[in-house]
Amino acid sequence: MSVRVRVPGKINLALAVGPRRADGYHGLTTVFHAVSLFETVTATGRDDAAISLVMSGHGSEQLPVDETNLAVRAAGLLRERYGAPGLGVDLVIDKQIPMAGGMAGGSADAAGVLLACNQVWGLGLDTSTLVTLAAELGSDVAFLLTGGNALGTGRGEQLRQLPASGRLEWVVALADGGLSTPAVYRRFDELAEAGRQQPSATLPDEVIAELTSGVPERVAAALTNALQPAALDLRPELTETLAHVELPGVLGGVVCGSGPTIAFVCADAEAADRVAAQLAGQPQVRATARASGPVSTAASLP
Ligand code: C5P
């Protein structure tokens, strides 16, 4: 039996980050927004306890396919907690989400594996059980089980669904190479110690309301990311990319999560197509992609 699921990437419409906690993580409040760059995960059951992984698409040739891959760990964790030891699976993942770009591609793979293996192995686990497992795998995995818009607190894994009205048109500008999330958080700490950044995990309700209004202009004006100064500090050329927020048709721009991908929200689809082409010609931009949101995770595809 095979099951296929489709999991979107995310943009943090807002990311407020508090001081480093004793466990090394940072308390945060974020507005997650799922966009139409998808990972497709196909799981085919086998009964010899083997877990295999084949990846194709965006940056896949650079990724390990052993148990250091979060997708393989997700299958192993699910089996260890809820499955019989003999259960195995062949996983095939096709990637569209830019790698190490701040859009949670690896987390989306893990979320997809949890959803697909739950079905293929006939475990019948409910969403809240999967959310608990997801939180063990990474801070963004839980959100990607459902997608849409959600408020994330804790280290991002405590979720409350938010309204998902309207449709936003995005251009994402990819940079050469990735940025390591722990390195960006470390730089955030250094900026805070130097008094150049005020850690605070609070996000006013009015900001959340603007970001879920579904009105592109209002969303654009409320975009905010506390990790942006740290990402720009580590990769100064991103400032140049972000300056394209002035292009006609662009309403606002923000670094995605810990970067280096930058997301621009545009007036409409036509403007976004034009902006994507213009940005693609910039020397510091490796490629651009078009996306819209919010979109939901598809827990099963035909
Ligand atoms: O949870 P995840 O594996 O995605 O996090 C990667 C790293 O990012 C963590 O090891 C930590 O250094 C940093 N992080 C953090 N605070 C968060 C989320 C992530 O410091 N809320």
Side-chain angles (χ1 to χ4, degrees), residues 142-169:
F143 167 65
L144 296 168
L145 291 171
T146 49
N149 285 332
L151 190 72
T153 51
R155 59 182 174 88
E157 86 291 5
Q158 290 165 29
L159 295 170
R160 176 159 66 81
Q161 215 61 41
L162 291 172
S165 58
R167 180 186 161 107
L168 302 173
E169 298 293 342

Side-chain angles (χ1 to χ4, degrees), residues 67-78:
E67 54 293 334
T68 60
N69 190 302
L70 197 62
V72 174
R73 280 186 17 227
L77 181 68
L78 185 67

Side-chain angles (χ1 to χ4, degrees), residues 24-28 107 137-140 154-156 181-182 185:
Y25 283 91
H26 295 71
L28 55 82
S107 300
L137 291 162
S139 308
D140 298 328
R155 59 182 174 88
T181 302
Y185 274 102

